[in-house]
Amino acid sequence: MTITDRSRPDVGSEEVAQRLMRSAALKSHDPLVEIDWDAPLDPSLYGFSPEWSTLYGTDYWNELDDAARIDLTRHEAASIMSTGIWFEMILQQMMLRDQFLGRYEGQEFQWALTEIADECRHSIMFARGADKLVGRSYYPRKHVQHLSRLLNHIGNHEWAYGSILVAEEILDVLQRGCMDDERVLPLVRQINAIHVLEESRHMRFAREEMRDALAGAGRARREASGHLIAVVAYFIVTSLVSPQVYADAGLDRTRAKHEAKHNGHFHAMLRTSCVHLMEFLDECGLLTRNATRIYRRVHML
Amino acid sequence: MPFAITASCCSDAQCVSVCPVGCIHPAPGEPGFGTSEILHIDPAACIDCGACADACPVNAIFPVDKLAGPDREYAEINASYYTDHDDVPPGRAPYPFVPRLRAGLRVAVVGTGPAGMYTVRDLLGRTECEITVFDALPTPGGLLRSGVAPDHPETKRIQHGFDLALRHPRVRFVGGVEVGRDVSIADLEGAFDAVFLASGARRPRRLGVPGEDSPGVVPALDVVTWAGGVPGRDSSPIPELGSAGTARAVIVGTGNVALDVARLLTLRPEDLGRTDAADRALDVLRARPIRDVVVLGRGDSSRAAYTQAEFRTLHHVPGLEVRVVEADAPFVDSPPPTETRVTFLFGSSISRVDGDGPLTVHLDRAGDGTALAADLLVTSIGHDVEPFDELHHDPSGALRHDAGRVRPGLYATGWLKRGATGGIGANRACAQESVDSFLRDATDDALPPRAAERADLLARLKKSGAVVDLRGARAIDRRERLDGERVGRPRVKITSLDELLATARRRAPRR
């Protein structure tokens, strides 16, 4: 039909930033005051939906009793939150660099700082959450830590925002199901709900920044960026649950690590949840052959 | 300012899965999902994050302050869903059933329309199976390619996600292979651990009145596939009557397909010329042989089968006058329209069709008889499944199955399974149900053992016929889009089978 008058989406970072600012004013959270940090943890409740445990569905899982499973998921949740902090701090640094001496009166600048502020609060929230759950936090392997320092300093444009998007999408898929799962600790459910809600705005912004950065980009650039973003995704996924988690949960670390690595259930959960991310990357021309190979290795595709 | 879902919503609920606050309803599992025409965003709960708009496969979602033209009414339509329903449950979708399967499973899917492709996506997500997808045509897409109206290009965007699935390393596309003609179901069951049939329902229902076999009486599917570019349908369904003609078409049936045909016949040539309608149809319709369309519905307007969204769309077609004659109102055959007109004549049923050249369509209305002169009579009263010799069907053609399982190892999905009802999105949950049945059989060790090698079967097919692989299909797609770009159209469809095959073979050099 001829529609000379067409509906259109927001286009460009200024329009998107403006809407997101309004959205943030409409509904934002302060986890420090909204979450009851002093409430005791019900011992019968999980740290995460069991279906999202890296061991769910394996022989090892089937041998564990409920208490062991609960303990495992609490440690896994703490590890995922720790990975969240690590990544959010990279994100903050990349965005601060991007906006340093930027257009202060622009919506993009003001939104970017809003996002950085969100991430600060999320990091504190995760830090407290991990502490309350298991009394410790987790870190990625040393060489990954060094690589991430590099990303801090040189991540730019679609590489930066692509990495941000991938990290946030992965965390989002893990946390989303737990939000309404009555078997999960209310503390974790609240943390996840706040994160999923505020993160949705960050992801919208990251997508628009990527579209902007890639407009008119040639094949060589898409190949390079596609590959780099996939590499970042690889390190995030493989850092989510530190092997130390299994030891801390009282399990045989070697056996748990092995069974988790070959756990088809976890792979399927990741794959089904990453469909939209993969479609978006494809839309941007970033799902190159090299990138596809990497995403398959970490079971995002 | 919230977002709103507009007319081209396909109801497959991908938006629901990305919404951080659960403000889109009816969601899968809720009452009304599957029957509601579109999904709706709750303006009171929407936080404006735009995740739904990004995830929507048909670009149906926009911020309310960016709605324009015919979409503006959707702000109210979305909002009023929530004032009309106060029982919207927040619920959580259960986690998918993902059992442990043995390695090396091989699955065949027959049909690459939405039914087949949602099945492929579900299998890719929940299993590690290798999937071989067959289609009778060299081009994937099924009715998404050939059946969606040319003036609804947004709906076709969902093909992008399906194309991505076809490109997955675990998926192999085999085009130009028709089950029944080139390969039997038994052959497939022998070479694969499981077979999903998603071949649709394309036997048009008959009116059952005298005269319905005259030339000039055609099923809607013929008109749709002629304009949709399906190879082998070159001849125009519109009789060429010249000055002896009435410039009128009568359409029996009030579903969305009937409205699609009505618009196809009455769109301005310059508007139709900007779509992906096949050139062979554009050549005929350019002369505007039909200007007056009468759509017949048996009951009154409250029982019309079209969706409100599609009915509204009709009112926005430039130059088209829309008239509704209620079941109890008299019908006066008025003078020809200024430009084009569609008249809904409710309370009418056909008793017989006479004539050669212009037809005389005899109607029963409120106990009286009327007759309409028309060049063309299009029947749009639904479809039945074309039965497979090898399977058990009911007399109507319906396939016998249990939650998609025909027998262990053989499953059905889409219109073949449910009958020809439901839009694109309905196939998503349908595919999940059939895949669930397969997964249960696989874990219960109920799948029959493979008797033959997939490689041998595929080699045999390649040797005997005109098989097209994904590279060939993509070469066709690229050529069609490039040809379209040159003339400001989304694509120019290749409708000759020979040319399709030649394009597929002449593919672009490897990168």
Side-chain angles (χ1 to χ4, degrees):
Chain A
M1 75 189 107
T2 325
I3 307 181
T4 47
D5 205 13
R6 300 207 64 130
S7 298
R8 45 179 217 87
D10 291 332
V11 172
S13 35
E14 279 296 297
E15 280 194 7
V16 171
Q18 185 172 49
R19 189 175 303 279
L20 295 179
M21 294 284 297
R22 272 193 259 128
S23 169
L26 206 69
K27 192 156 183 171
S28 279
H29 295 279
D30 186 358
L32 295 182
V33 298
E34 287 175 36
I35 294 178
D36 184 359
W37 294 103
D38 297 321
L41 299 181
D42 181 337
S44 70
L45 295 179
Y46 288 83
F48 239 67
S49 293
E51 288 84 353
W52 269 114
S53 172
T54 51
L55 287 184
Y56 183 89
T58 59
D59 292 332
Y60 205 172
W61 177 270
N62 294 334
E63 290 169 25
L64 298 176
D65 62 16
D66 280 347
R69 291 174 180 179
I70 287 169
D71 198 26
L72 172 62
T73 58
R74 290 185 185 198
H75 282 89
E76 285 177 311
S79 179
I80 289 165
M81 288 185 200
S82 302
T83 305
I85 297 172
W86 166 57
F87 217 81
E88 280 176 353
M89 292 189 78
I90 298 174
L91 208 145
Q92 289 175 61
Q93 291 179 69
M94 288 198 290
M95 287 186 79
L96 264 177
R97 262 192 306 108
D98 202 25
Q99 296 299 328
F100 187 60
L101 296 174
R103 239 189 97 232
Y104 302 153
E105 70 281 11
Q107 295 294 310
E108 186 186 341
F109 175 83
Q110 295 178 24
W111 166 256
L113 259 55
T114 308
E115 181 167 336
I116 293 167
D118 282 349
E119 299 297 22
C120 272
R121 282 195 304 280
H122 293 170
S123 294
I124 302 171
M125 179 174 73
F126 286 157
R128 283 192 151 189
D131 189 32
K132 180 119 178 123
L133 277 174
V134 298
R136 63 157 297 170
S137 35
Y138 295 91
Y139 300 91
R141 290 157 294 164
K142 274 282 183 309
H143 67 281
V144 179
Q145 290 182 27
H146 293 315
L147 286 171
S148 70
R149 287 199 175 91
L150 195 62
L151 186 60
N152 269 341
H153 291 299
I154 64 175
N156 251 317
H157 305 303
E158 71 274 9
W159 186 24
Y161 286 104
S163 308
I164 288 170
L165 183 65
V166 162
E168 289 170 350
E169 286 265 8
I170 292 168
L171 239 54
D172 178 90
V173 308
L174 290 176
Q175 295 177 323
R176 187 176 281 265
C178 300
M179 275 161 57
D180 300 311
D181 188 346
E182 283 163 2
R183 302 166 295 174
V184 175
L185 287 162
L187 172 71
V188 173
R189 288 173 63 183
Q190 275 183 286
I191 289 174
N192 288 355
I194 289 174
H195 195 246
V196 165
L197 185 141
E198 297 190 333
E199 217 57 15
S200 65
R201 293 191 278 255
H202 302 174
M203 295 195 286
R204 175 76 183 93
F205 187 65
R207 282 191 288 263
E208 201 62 26
E209 288 282 351
M210 283 171 74
R211 285 186 187 116
D212 273 356
L214 286 167
R219 241 197 65 214
R221 179 157 163 192
R222 288 178 206 267
E223 284 283 342
S225 296
H227 199 166
L228 286 169
I229 292 169
V231 167
V232 170
Y234 174 85
F235 286 120
I236 297 171
V237 174
T238 52
S239 303
L240 277 174
V241 176
S242 162
Q244 186 57 33
V245 159
Y246 304 120
D248 290 345
L251 301 179
D252 172 350
R253 178 180 163 142
T254 313
R255 180 183 175 193
K257 211 175 139 184
H258 177 81
E259 296 208 15
K261 186 165 178 208
H262 296 106
N263 184 2
H265 185 273
F266 188 74
H267 300 161
M269 293 289 281
L270 260 185
R271 254 194 328 260
T272 39
S273 313
C274 287
V275 171
H276 292 117
L277 174 61
M278 290 300 130
E279 285 185 10
F280 176 74
L281 292 174
D282 188 41
E283 181 198 314
C284 292
L286 295 171
L287 209 55
T288 61
R289 198 169 297 174
N290 285 326
T292 299
R293 223 193 337 262
I294 296 174
Y295 291 124
R296 280 197 79 198
R297 267 180 73 189
V298 285
H299 306 282
M300 288 171 70
L301 186 62
Chain B
M1 192 63 63
F3 280 63
I5 299 176
T6 62
S8 49
C9 172
C10 71
S11 299
D12 81 354
Q14 290 190 58
C15 52
V16 174
S17 42
V18 301
C19 174
V21 293
C23 72
I24 304 180
H25 298 274
E30 283 171 20
F33 184 74
T35 49
S36 179
E37 290 180 12
I38 61 169
L39 304 183
H40 313 81
I41 292 170
D42 184 353
C46 172
I47 59 158
D48 245 13
C49 70
C52 55
D54 275 342
C56 175
V58 295
N59 267 23
I61 309 182
F62 299 95
V64 161
D65 57 342
K66 293 274 170 76
L67 291 174
D71 290 339
R72 276 202 201 96
E73 41 195 357
Y74 283 89
E76 181 49 38
I77 291 167
N78 275 242
S80 54
Y81 181 84
Y82 294 91
T83 52
D84 294 343
H85 297 79
D86 52 5
D87 55 348
V88 174
R92 173 177 74 85
Y95 287 114
F97 172 49
V98 179
R100 235 197 297 190
L101 302 175
R102 62 183 159 88
L105 282 175
R106 294 197 174 145
V107 175
V109 176
V110 176
T112 57
M117 291 315 301
Y118 278 121
T119 306
V120 170
R121 271 166 62 152
D122 199 18
L123 287 167
L124 279 174
R126 291 202 272 165
T127 74
E128 313 261 358
C129 295
E130 300 240 323
I131 307 168
T132 308
V133 219
F134 295 92
D135 199 289
L137 292 177
T139 49
L143 285 178
L144 199 45
R145 173 178 160 93
S146 61
V148 172
D151 59 341
H152 284 353
E154 291 307 303
T155 308
K156 298 189 201 210
R157 293 178 66 106
I158 195 171
Q159 187 65 35
H160 292 316
F162 294 153
D163 283 344
L164 182 58
L166 283 172
R167 278 163 27 220
H168 194 283
R170 274 194 272 135
V171 175
R172 182 196 307 219
F173 173 73
V174 180
V177 171
E178 188 174 324
V179 172
R181 183 190 71 193
D182 303 315
V183 69
S184 68
I185 296 177
D187 283 341
L188 291 176
E189 283 182 281
F192 293 91
D193 295 293
V195 178
F196 286 81
L197 298 173
S199 43
R202 66 196 134 118
R203 196 160 61 161
R205 288 205 184 125
R206 291 175 59 79
L207 285 170
V209 301
E212 82 173 289
D213 291 309
S214 346
V217 181
V218 300
L221 189 64
D222 282 5
V223 179
V224 165
T225 51
W226 167 68
V230 174
R233 289 220 178 278
D234 288 336
S235 53
S236 163
I238 305 175
E240 254 177 276
L241 298 176
S243 52
T246 60
R248 168 183 283 163
V250 173
I251 305 177
V252 186
T254 57
N256 283 352
V257 176
L259 271 53
D260 283 349
V261 174
R263 288 192 324 276
L264 181 71
L265 297 173
T266 55
L267 270 171
R268 287 184 177 152
E270 62 267 26
D271 292 337
L272 194 59
R274 273 195 285 267
T275 69
D276 66 357
D279 283 350
R280 63 194 178 195
L282 291 177
D283 290 341
V284 169
L285 293 168
R286 199 162 283 130
R288 305 196 96 173
I290 304 288
R291 290 171 187 269
D292 188 19
V293 175
V294 178
V295 177
L296 303 178
R298 257 206 290 232
D300 61 45
S301 63
S302 66
R303 287 181 45 209
Y306 50 66
T307 57
Q308 287 304 313
E310 283 300 334
F311 184 65
R312 271 181 226 111
T313 298
L314 222 44
H315 290 80
H316 298 288
V317 175
L320 181 67
E321 186 196 324
V322 180
R323 201 164 55 129
V324 174
V325 180
E326 286 294 354
D328 49 8
F331 171 61
V332 178
D333 207 353
S334 22
T338 334
E339 190 179 333
T340 49
R341 177 178 62 211
V342 62
T343 307
F344 286 89
L345 201 52
F346 288 106
S348 317
S349 56
I350 291 195
S351 49
R352 95 175 175 277
V353 181
D354 285 337
D356 219 350
L359 304 166
T360 310
V361 182
H362 297 268
L363 308 177
D364 269 328
R365 285 199 88 228
D368 290 322
T370 340
L372 289 172
D375 290 2
L376 175 70
L377 176 69
V378 179
T379 60
S380 183
I381 50 179
H383 298 86
D384 289 317
V385 168
E386 197 74 69
F388 288 99
D389 291 334
E390 302 175 69
L391 301 180
H392 293 298
H393 296 258
D394 288 338
S396 67
L399 189 61
R400 305 232 182 99
H401 68 90
D402 168 31
R405 179 193 296 107
V406 176
R407 48 177 176 255
L410 183 64
Y411 309 89
T413 146
W415 280 4
L416 174 64
K417 169 187 169 193
R418 304 190 321 270
T421 53
I424 293 167
N427 292 294
R428 188 171 172 221
C430 175
Q432 278 164 356
E433 184 192 53
S434 299
V435 171
D436 278 342
S437 297
F438 157 62
L439 292 175
R440 268 191 291 272
D441 288 346
T443 37
D444 291 342
D445 220 8
L447 297 176
R450 266 188 261 146
E453 277 308 311
R454 177 185 66 171
D456 293 338
L457 176 67
L458 293 178
R460 171 169 67 87
L461 286 171
K462 259 170 103 158
K463 233 187 310 186
S464 65
V467 166
V468 173
D469 64 8
L470 188 64
R471 278 181 67 209
R474 293 185 75 195
I476 293 170
D477 177 59
R478 223 172 1 243
R479 155 101 188 270
E480 287 185 344
R481 281 186 291 113
L482 276 168
D483 286 350
E485 248 175 67
R486 272 183 224 121
V487 291
R489 299 170 64 188
R491 66 176 64 238
V492 176
K493 283 187 180 164
I494 302 171
T495 53
S496 137
L497 187 61
D498 286 340
E499 217 186 312
L500 285 167
L501 295 175
T503 309
R505 282 189 199 111
R506 214 178 32 234
R507 42 236 208 167
R510 249 187 198 288
R511 286 189 265 133

